[in-house]
Amino acid sequence: MNYKSPELLAPAGSPDSLHAAVLYGADAVYLGCSDFANARMNAENFTKKTLVEAFDFCHSRNVKAYVTVNTLLSDKEMEGLYSYASFLYENGADGVIVQEAGVMDFLHRYLPNLPLHASTQAGVCNTAGLNAVKKLGCTRAVAARELSMNELEQLCKEDIEIEVFVHGALCACYSGFCLMSSLIGRRSGNRGKCAQPCRLPYSIDNNKPSLLMNLKDNLLLPHLHSLSKIGVSSLKIEGRMKGPEYVGLVTSFYRRALDGETINRDELEQLKKVFDRGGYTDEYYLPKKNHNMFAYTKPQTPYRVQQMPPIIPKQLPVSMHALLKKNQVFQLTVTDSLGNQGTAQGDTIAFAAQNRPLDENIIKERLNKLGNTPYKLNDCSVTLDPGLMIPLGELARVKRQACEELTEVRLKTFKHPVPKAVDSIPLPKGSMYQELQWTASVNTYEQYQAICHLPFAWVSIPLSVVWKHREEMDNNIIIRLPAVSHETKHNNIKQQLAVLYSMGFSHLMCGCLGDFYYFKNWERKGDITLWLYNSTTAQTLSSQNPSSLCLSPELNIGQIKQLQCNVPCEAYIYGRLPLMRTRHCFVQNARGNCNGNCQLTDRTGATFPTRCVNGEHILYNSTPLYMGDQLAQLKHSCIAYGRMEFTVESPSECETIAREIMEGVFDTNNKTRGHYHRGV
């Protein structure tokens, strides 16, 4: 059976890398602008001027260009989003890659013909997530890197394009859920500035430090047939931080494989040597998911630049018609497969040849030399009066001018008139609160028992705990859903919730867009991983009628004071923030066993607790956040609830801490203020 060949999508972190991607066979490229937020702010990137040049270079060769706007945007940045997106649309961007719900909703509303792609930062792991971003206007979703072939196949059955990372770096954490670089070094991955602390050495039980979180790079080239078969629309190469040699070489291997060439074992080994972080893996896709995915040591020199292969020309077939008549100038028409035409004519009137007149073969031979143009001659017809001559240089000049005019005509088809300018985006006036009510989040039933008698507005408890203790638990509690769930697990969640709903439970806390949009018959609260970072996202999420929304922990006090939300908001006041949500237990992988509560130690001696329960693997910050003594600074804002997050504390510690915070006597030593006084 023949399957539609997927698009080959290559990274373009610079103009040189873009040219390498196109010349070595990419069908599309993705790139960012240094003038506006994107997830690789440390790459060279493009200016607005070079973006337009990049679009034209790509489009003249039938290559698509997608622009990344895949970070959380502040209210200040949202003010410039419409202008920037209009610029992209007007100049021919083939799509915009976005992370957060508010940006999706905003762009779909005001620029409805601009294609939107949900970034892997949006955390799409199941069909519920896929349908959520589709409702928000996306026509494509970049699947989480952690999905297996069977899980990707489920996504491909939905009426939306699926893009899959097939080569390059794998993050230790699910993309879009990582706060590690943000809280340790104030370089936020959600803001495009990840410092990759996961690539540093850590130790377990005071053992020798090693690269416990350092995943090998992804390599799915041997699986291109199955990826095509299950219906993947686009195959994505990671690497906007890498140079043109890397981009060109990797793109050329995947281009050849997609075109039906067999890449033998020796060639596959050559591909692995283009960049070596300590090996390659395909175990998420298979899936295997074990310690073999990790490179606990890495080479001193990861780059091994090889001789560049021959360029794979990206030339479009054209036909030409040449006309040379007596007493007329030479005329040429160049036509592409869509009927676009470029015409040009010479300056010299044809004259009688003294010796050797032009004939059809000479004219065709000269016209067939298309050099560095994006065209190749597919067919040529000549209408010629006999015995005529013009300077041969005129043939070349007219050919060049006709091809240039064809390119101009073709490029105009990619430009778009911008809808009527939007001067300001209306946002409803948000509610402001003078006093905070306390809420709590626990991880165990024992923690819940220790604090349930205290005056909390609500307590949220993991679904796995509620399910286990459903007969003895008050059905007014808040069931906290996992932020990440693959399709099979999500089906189990739906089945469990159906039973719990019939028992009278009716309150959910949702940490992903899929659940937030799917479980509409429940009273829903939004958790921190919905990333409420600006007023536009607040408006989008509020439209789904939640009873509360949790603010992003990357906001500072000034941003919180400006944020407009007409739903009461919750903010972290105490607790260890979750730095990572992973598909792995790093401890289990490294030493072969895990008791569910372990810790990693970094090179400074800081210890990071881990929690592994029911398939959830979470790494917590080494230092608890505390703002209970500074509540006055959070008044007159959208914050109605102050959250105490109990993670690895014992039940007695939970009760003691909660009482001390409520009474205002909690010890502030060895605590962090998070981003409240700095932001990202």
Side-chain angles (χ1 to χ4, degrees):
M1 182 180 294
N2 293 323
Y3 304 101
K4 181 181 178 181
S5 181
E7 167 189 271
L8 178 57
L9 177 57
S14 69
D16 286 344
S17 292
L18 179 135
H19 290 149
V22 172
L23 296 177
Y24 282 96
D27 298 310
V29 297
Y30 61 104
L31 61 163
C33 181
S34 55
D35 297 340
F36 205 81
N38 73 87
R40 292 295 181 270
M41 290 302 291
N42 294 324
E44 179 181 336
N45 288 313
F46 293 75
T47 64
K48 283 188 173 182
K49 179 177 182 294
T50 56
L51 263 185
V52 176
E53 293 170 355
F55 295 161
D56 289 350
F57 181 81
C58 290
H59 292 152
S60 67
R61 290 159 176 80
N62 266 12
V63 173
K64 292 183 177 180
Y66 308 130
V67 181
T68 55
V69 189
N70 53 340
T71 64
L72 303 183
L73 301 182
S74 67
D75 275 333
K76 184 68 175 176
E77 289 163 334
M78 286 299 300
E79 293 175 6
L81 178 60
Y82 181 80
S83 174
Y84 177 61
S86 297
F87 162 80
L88 297 178
Y89 180 68
E90 182 179 17
N91 285 284
D94 295 286
V96 174
I97 304 169
V98 293
Q99 173 179 358
E100 59 174 307
V103 175
M104 297 176 193
D105 187 30
F106 175 92
L107 291 178
H108 184 57
R109 187 185 312 151
Y110 293 104
L111 291 169
N113 294 322
L114 176 63
L116 302 179
H117 298 178
S119 169
T120 188
Q121 294 282 115
V124 174
C125 296
N126 55 47
T127 52
L130 202 59
N131 286 320
V133 298
K134 182 180 174 182
K135 288 177 182 176
L136 289 164
C138 293
T139 58
R140 176 186 291 189
V142 187
R145 291 171 171 90
E146 291 81 359
L147 301 189
S148 69
M149 182 186 77
N150 290 337
E151 290 165 340
L152 289 169
E153 186 173 16
Q154 290 298 313
L155 298 188
C156 290
K157 292 177 181 178
E158 302 297 315
D159 185 25
I160 182 173
E161 292 183 349
I162 300 299
E163 181 176 304
V164 174
F165 277 98
V166 294
H167 195 96
L170 291 171
C171 293
C173 177
Y174 283 92
S175 292
F177 292 92
C178 187
L179 290 170
M180 192 168 193
S181 178
S182 173
L183 289 167
I184 291 177
R186 201 180 170 185
R187 290 177 58 182
S188 169
N190 283 325
R191 301 279 291 152
K193 298 178 181 179
C194 179
Q196 299 190 353
C198 56
R199 304 292 184 189
L200 296 174
Y202 296 85
S203 62
I204 306 169
D205 301 332
N206 297 316
N207 291 327
K208 182 180 178 181
S210 63
L211 305 178
L212 297 176
M213 293 187 265
N214 187 44
L215 277 159
K216 298 176 181 178
D217 276 15
N218 196 27
L219 196 162
L220 298 186
L221 187 140
H223 304 291
L224 297 190
H225 176 74
S226 62
L227 285 160
S228 301
K229 182 178 178 180
I230 64 176
V232 170
S233 298
S234 182
L235 307 177
K236 188 172 197 172
I237 299 168
E238 183 275 339
R240 279 198 288 146
M241 295 293 291
K242 296 188 174 75
E245 296 84 5
Y246 174 90
V247 172
L249 281 163
V250 174
T251 301
S252 70
F253 274 98
Y254 279 84
R255 178 76 275 155
R256 289 169 52 204
L258 281 171
D259 289 346
E261 287 190 44
T262 299
I263 307 298
N264 61 41
R265 184 174 298 179
D266 290 341
E267 289 179 304
L268 198 59
E269 290 304 311
Q270 291 176 19
L271 173 59
K272 293 178 181 179
K273 292 176 182 177
V274 175
F275 179 85
D276 185 7
R277 201 189 301 274
Y280 281 83
T281 182
D282 58 0
E283 295 190 12
Y284 277 144
Y285 185 74
L286 291 178
K288 291 183 180 178
K289 195 182 64 125
N290 58 39
H291 68 278
N292 292 324
M293 297 184 70
F294 289 81
Y296 295 117
T297 60
K298 60 183 177 182
Q300 293 296 318
T301 307
Y303 276 103
R304 303 180 189 178
V305 177
Q306 305 172 22
Q307 182 178 355
M308 298 296 286
I311 287 175
I312 303 171
K314 197 80 175 181
Q315 293 178 307
L316 311 177
V318 295
S319 62
M320 293 184 180
H321 179 66
L323 178 67
L324 186 60
K325 304 287 286 183
K326 185 178 180 180
N327 296 325
Q328 294 182 19
V329 296
F330 176 64
Q331 300 174 49
L332 179 65
T333 301
V334 185
T335 307
D336 69 9
S337 59
L338 297 176
N340 297 307
Q341 290 188 338
T343 60
Q345 63 182 31
D347 297 324
T348 306
I349 295 176
F351 54 87
Q354 297 296 317
N355 295 308
R356 185 182 177 190
L358 288 175
D359 61 25
E360 184 173 334
N361 290 334
I362 293 174
I363 293 175
K364 286 183 176 180
E365 179 184 350
R366 296 281 175 162
L367 295 180
N368 194 40
K369 296 177 180 178
L370 289 170
N372 293 326
T373 73
Y375 307 116
K376 63 180 179 180
L377 187 58
N378 192 44
D379 178 63
C380 184
S381 61
V382 179
T383 300
L384 174 68
D385 286 347
L388 298 178
M389 188 63 185
I390 58 171
L392 294 181
E394 187 134 313
L395 285 176
R397 182 178 61 80
V398 171
K399 175 184 63 178
R400 184 181 69 253
Q401 291 176 346
C403 288
E404 289 173 350
E405 182 176 294
L406 173 61
T407 298
E408 290 179 10
V409 169
R410 292 182 61 250
L411 290 178
K412 286 179 181 178
T413 66
F414 292 93
K415 313 296 182 180
H416 305 289
V418 177
K420 183 180 179 181
V422 178
D423 295 327
S424 62
I425 308 302
L427 288 171
K429 184 72 174 176
S431 301
M432 296 293 159
Y433 299 89
Q434 308 303 317
E435 301 294 335
L436 274 66
Q437 298 182 63
W438 293 112
T439 68
S441 170
V442 299
N443 277 339
T444 69
Y445 184 61
E446 292 73 23
Q447 289 174 328
Y448 168 70
Q449 287 181 307
I451 66 166
C452 62
H453 61 284
L454 296 175
F456 287 107
W458 71 73
V459 178
S460 69
I461 310 172
L463 170 61
S464 58
V465 175
V466 177
W467 180 252
K468 182 178 179 180
H469 298 278
R470 59 190 180 277
E471 297 296 341
E472 63 260 38
M473 190 162 279
D474 184 343
N475 61 15
N476 285 321
I477 58 90
I478 310 300
I479 301 172
R480 193 171 72 251
L481 300 182
V484 176
S485 59
H486 295 213
E487 193 68 27
T488 299
K489 182 176 179 179
H490 198 252
N491 287 334
N492 292 335
I493 288 172
K494 289 187 282 188
Q495 293 171 7
Q496 291 177 354
L497 288 182
V499 173
L500 292 171
Y501 193 78
S502 69
M503 295 173 64
F505 292 88
S506 59
H507 307 279
L508 293 182
M509 180 167 282
C510 303
C512 65
L513 283 177
D515 290 344
F516 190 72
Y517 276 78
Y518 183 84
F519 294 110
K520 288 193 171 184
N521 57 326
W522 291 72
E523 181 191 288
R524 287 153 298 136
K525 299 180 181 297
D527 211 345
I528 62 165
T529 42
L530 292 185
W531 303 120
L532 200 175
Y533 195 73
N534 59 60
S535 301
T536 304
T537 294
Q539 182 183 31
T540 297
L541 297 178
S542 298
S543 70
Q544 299 304 304
N545 301 313
S547 57
S548 70
L549 294 168
C550 190
L551 297 178
S552 165
E554 295 189 289
L555 290 167
N556 62 35
I557 291 174
Q559 291 171 316
I560 291 170
K561 293 276 191 177
Q562 295 297 318
L563 195 143
Q564 302 294 315
C565 185
N566 54 16
V567 169
C569 290
E570 181 185 30
Y572 272 66
I573 301 300
Y574 166 81
R576 295 177 187 268
L577 286 167
L579 299 185
M580 285 190 179
R581 299 171 191 273
T582 73
R583 195 159 194 193
H584 292 270
C585 170
F586 302 120
V587 177
Q588 173 75 32
N589 285 334
R591 74 180 187 189
N593 63 81
C594 170
N595 62 15
N597 292 284
C598 302
Q599 62 185 29
L600 305 182
T601 304
D602 72 7
R603 64 197 189 284
T604 71
T607 57
F608 300 86
T610 66
R611 181 174 182 270
C612 303
V613 177
N614 197 35
E616 271 199 290
H617 309 289
I618 302 177
L619 180 73
Y620 292 104
N621 200 8
S622 59
T623 307
L625 176 146
Y626 183 61
M627 284 292 290
D629 60 328
Q630 298 188 8
L631 296 181
Q633 297 186 50
L634 302 178
K635 291 182 178 180
H636 309 292
S637 74
C638 60
I639 301 174
Y641 302 104
R643 178 167 172 173
M644 301 183 202
E645 178 88 355
F646 298 110
T647 53
V648 296
E649 295 87 350
S650 68
S652 62
E653 288 174 329
C654 292
E655 182 178 15
T656 299
I657 291 169
R659 286 187 182 278
E660 290 180 351
I661 291 175
M662 289 178 175
E663 294 169 6
V665 296
F666 186 62
D667 185 3
T668 60
N669 290 327
N670 300 316
K671 305 298 185 295
T672 176
R673 303 299 188 182
H675 284 302
Y676 280 107
H677 294 302
R678 58 185 190 183
V680 292

